Amino acid sequence: METKKRDGFNSRIGALLAIIGSAVGLGNLWRFPYVVGENGGGAFILVYLIIAFGLCTPLMMTELLIGRRGKSNVVGAFKAIDSKSKFYYSGYIFVLASFLILSFYSVVGGWVLHYLGESLTFSLSNLSSEDLTLHFKNLVSAPVRPLLLHFLFMFLTASVVIFGIEKGIEKMSKIFMPILFIFIVVLAIRSLTLPGAGQGLNFLFNIDFSKITMNTVFEALGQSFFSLSLGIGCIITYGSYMRSEENIMKSSIVVVSSDILFALIAGLAIIPAVFAFNFEPAAGPGLVFIVLPQIFSQIAGGSVFQIIFFFILFIAAITSSISLLETVVAYVVEELKITRRKATIYTSIIITIVGCFCALSEGALADFKLFGLNFFSLVETLASNILLPVGSIFIAIFASWVMKKEDVVEELSNYGTIKVKNLGYYFVIVKFVAPIAISFILIKYLLF
Ligand code: PFF
């Protein structure tokens, strides 16, 4: 009997761009600059680089190898690799985490769409700081608008996922990721050529070691995992679509480096401009929605740069949300045996409904609080601070304590056809350092 070939990436560049697309998102362009601003600039960046290269690259390799070896979704991959262990239960954590992250991520994606629309109609030009603060507050607390924007963003995400890997995700990444890169470089050049930008550069690259505290390390750990899409199952899912001839170690290095590069360029595009106009870099989540439009109003050609900025923020957000939806859809298609079309429609509808509660959490549902958190923050905390670290610990333990070492080496070396260096380092990190370091994050979040 002829079995249907599993959909997958058809080219190396397509696979890499899709994985980079998952990694590069709001985490890089929206969160990274203000987290750097709040945590002391260069000192934070140094810690971030060490964690991203030293700890996250081996974990990226691990997720890719589990996916490719299992050639299945986040539950099926564990079953396929070791049918006896109960580790496939951790797959349910990944499905839940992707589901929850997408439900609030798409709400922020909706805000980005709103700001893109406003930029295209030049409605943000020449508004004062108070006006822009009010504008942002009115948007997020409005009764209907955030819902409609969230629906639109989810609809766009689903419209790509429904076409599958090669014809949907790979194609979209090949078109949009290069555009994203070119535009962000253009913005960085504009920002760096503003008078007074040097102060921002100094802030980004001057390392004051006294600013490195335990908190800096925790912030950098959390930020790097989220930014690299680790611990959520997206990388396992994309790994399952990778061709057998791809070099997992090299691919991981390329993805981690690109993600860092995007975050740094985003920092270079935003922070020098913030300093040039005497704003505070530690402006929190409002940095891109409140501070940046004021800056764009003051520079020559600012309205065009503003359109470019919100357009790339949108691309970055949607390529990440696609990977989140794909993780859930792949599970539903393969484990619950329904067609991709139906799976995409049903899961998108359910995620959209849960997301509605997030979208309304600053408005109609502002009074609903649990542990002092509104619905949006509750879902974000549960997914990013609890499920993500738990998932990462399971992945590290599975690959280094449950899987046979020969199988891991076989997968990393493409059945001995390529040489893999530093395997000793890899195993020390995945077996000991990662589970211990991640347990600390978890304990910190649970206790403090
Ligand atoms: N890495 C994405 C970002 O930086 O915005 C967010 C993300 C996507 C997190 C996919 C987790 C994930 F599985």
Side-chain angles (χ1 to χ4, degrees), residues 215-379:
N215 206 42
T216 323
V217 178
F218 281 126
E219 278 290 336
L221 273 167
Q223 171 66 20
S224 56
F225 275 71
F226 186 80
S227 183
L228 287 162
S229 307
L230 291 172
I232 299 296
C234 289
I235 304 294
I236 296 183
T237 308
Y238 276 11
S240 77
Y241 301 128
M242 254 177 140
R243 297 182 308 181
S244 54
E245 62 263 39
E246 309 302 358
N247 183 328
I248 287 184
M249 183 185 271
K250 272 195 190 152
S251 307
S252 305
I253 295 173
V254 171
V255 172
V256 173
S257 313
S258 310
D259 188 68
I260 293 174
L261 190 71
F262 269 101
L264 289 178
I265 302 179
L268 284 177
I270 295 174
I271 304 278
V274 168
F275 274 92
F277 289 97
N278 293 323
F279 286 105
E280 262 298 307
L287 183 66
V288 303
F289 297 115
I290 298 170
V291 176
L292 285 192
Q294 296 172 66
I295 294 174
F296 287 125
S297 296
Q298 295 179 45
I299 59 180
S303 29
V304 175
F305 289 111
Q306 173 147 296
I307 295 172
I308 295 181
F309 178 77
F310 284 111
F311 179 63
I312 59 177
L313 199 56
F314 164 67
I315 297 179
I318 195 153
T319 47
S320 298
S321 64
I322 285 169
S323 70
L324 290 161
L325 183 58
E326 176 57 31
T327 303
V328 186
V329 167
Y331 160 75
V332 174
V333 170
E334 292 176 355
E335 300 298 311
L336 310 183
K337 311 267 182 274
I338 63 174
T339 62
R340 169 168 285 270
R341 199 184 143 76
K342 281 194 185 142
T344 310
I345 296 172
Y346 296 157
T347 47
S348 304
I349 291 177
I350 302 173
I351 294 170
T352 306
I353 293 173
V354 175
C356 288
F357 292 93
C358 297
L360 294 176
S361 63
E362 300 277 341
L365 298 179
D367 291 335
F368 169 85
K369 290 226 162 98
L370 212 64
F371 308 114
L373 301 171
N374 66 20
F375 197 84
F376 186 116
S377 311
L378 205 62
V379 172

Side-chain angles (χ1 to χ4, degrees), residues 9 19 28 159 183 260 321 341 343 356 379-380 400 425 437:
F9 296 122
I19 304 172
N28 303 59
S159 320
F183 278 164
I260 293 174
S321 64
R341 199 184 143 76
C356 288
V379 172
E380 188 195 356
S400 57
Y425 174 79

Side-chain angles (χ1 to χ4, degrees), residues 156-178:
L156 295 172
T157 304
S159 320
V160 177
V161 172
I162 208 162
F163 286 106
I165 311 309
E166 189 184 340
K167 298 208 184 78
I169 299 176
E170 181 169 0
K171 213 172 190 180
M172 144 110 187
S173 309
K174 275 182 167 165
I175 300 172
F176 285 110
M177 291 311 288

